[in-house]
Amino acid sequence: MMGRWIAVVTATLIAIAVALGLPFVGGEQKWHVARGALDADCNNSGANPDGSVQFMVMCPRSAMSPDRRWKIVQTPATGGEREIYDVRIEDARGRIIGSIPTLNDSMPFVLRWSPRRDWFLINHWLGSGLERPRVFQVTPSGVVEHRRHLDAGLAQAHRISPCLPVDKMEASGSGVRWSRDGRRLAWVYATRPDMCVFYGDMSGPIPADKQWKPFLMISDIETGAVVADSIRLLPDDGKWDFPADAPYDDF
């Protein structure tokens, strides 16, 4: 039931985007976004070629951290709709450290461990064409989510795309790469293509200088600050390569 509903919503959004001539971001997103999420095919679950791991509700699995200190576990779903399950962190001995907030919502997500010990990224698909990069840290008191980068990214999105609604938006997009030291995250801001049309305050054709534009940026994970000179607008055709110049040369 959930899968059919997601498929209908997604197909509708794609049709809207095509009709409006709005771009979907491609290229670097091949592995860091949830792929094959609508077909319930467990072949789309598990390790990706770039080292990330995709989780799907109908395909319970786990993934160890590179140092084998932690393990993310998605438990098998139970209940009448088979949608009751947990996503949690365990240590090497199998002791439960804590659950990961709001990941048990039947939506797929992609995990990428950080080079920095005890940190990881979740690209959490929220349905209806939305995704969000979420950063977590395993601490002695449990699992802590760091959200400052989302607030700073949203502020940049409003600056770059004035047509976006102010009171109905959350930071959208997906994390692409960790820096070598794990203290910074390169991520794409790419929200639903109909946000300006159906949810913004614009009426009639949207002026070119106010239209929605996807972009790439680097965030300092602890402070949330966007790294200077890291914002790169992405092309309308959705094809782009990860930059090789500074400040991206540290990724």
Side-chain angles (χ1 to χ4, degrees), residues 99-165:
S99 294
I100 304 175
T102 66
L103 284 185
N104 57 341
D105 61 357
S106 299
M107 298 300 182
F109 61 90
V110 176
L111 161 72
R112 187 184 297 276
W113 292 101
S114 169
R116 190 178 180 186
R117 188 173 183 177
D118 306 335
W119 290 67
F120 59 94
L121 162 73
I122 294 288
N123 284 326
H124 182 194
W125 199 60
L126 304 178
S128 297
L130 291 175
E131 189 168 33
R132 181 182 304 145
R134 303 177 61 187
V135 175
F136 296 93
Q137 179 185 12
V138 185
T139 72
S141 59
V143 184
V144 175
E145 182 171 7
H146 293 257
R147 298 178 55 89
R148 291 179 178 176
H149 66 291
L150 295 177
D151 295 334
L154 183 57
Q156 292 293 335
H158 283 134
R159 180 184 66 83
I160 292 170
S161 305
C163 66
L164 291 171

Side-chain angles (χ1 to χ4, degrees), residues 26-28 177 216 232 234-235 238-244:
E28 280 288 333
R177 298 185 187 182
L216 179 69
R232 309 287 172 87
L234 298 176
K239 298 177 181 179
W240 57 278
D241 295 316
F242 194 85

Side-chain angles (χ1 to χ4, degrees), residues 224-246:
V226 177
V227 175
D229 300 323
S230 70
I231 293 180
R232 309 287 172 87
L233 296 182
L234 298 176
D236 290 341
D237 62 6
K239 298 177 181 179
W240 57 278
D241 295 316
F242 194 85
D245 60 329

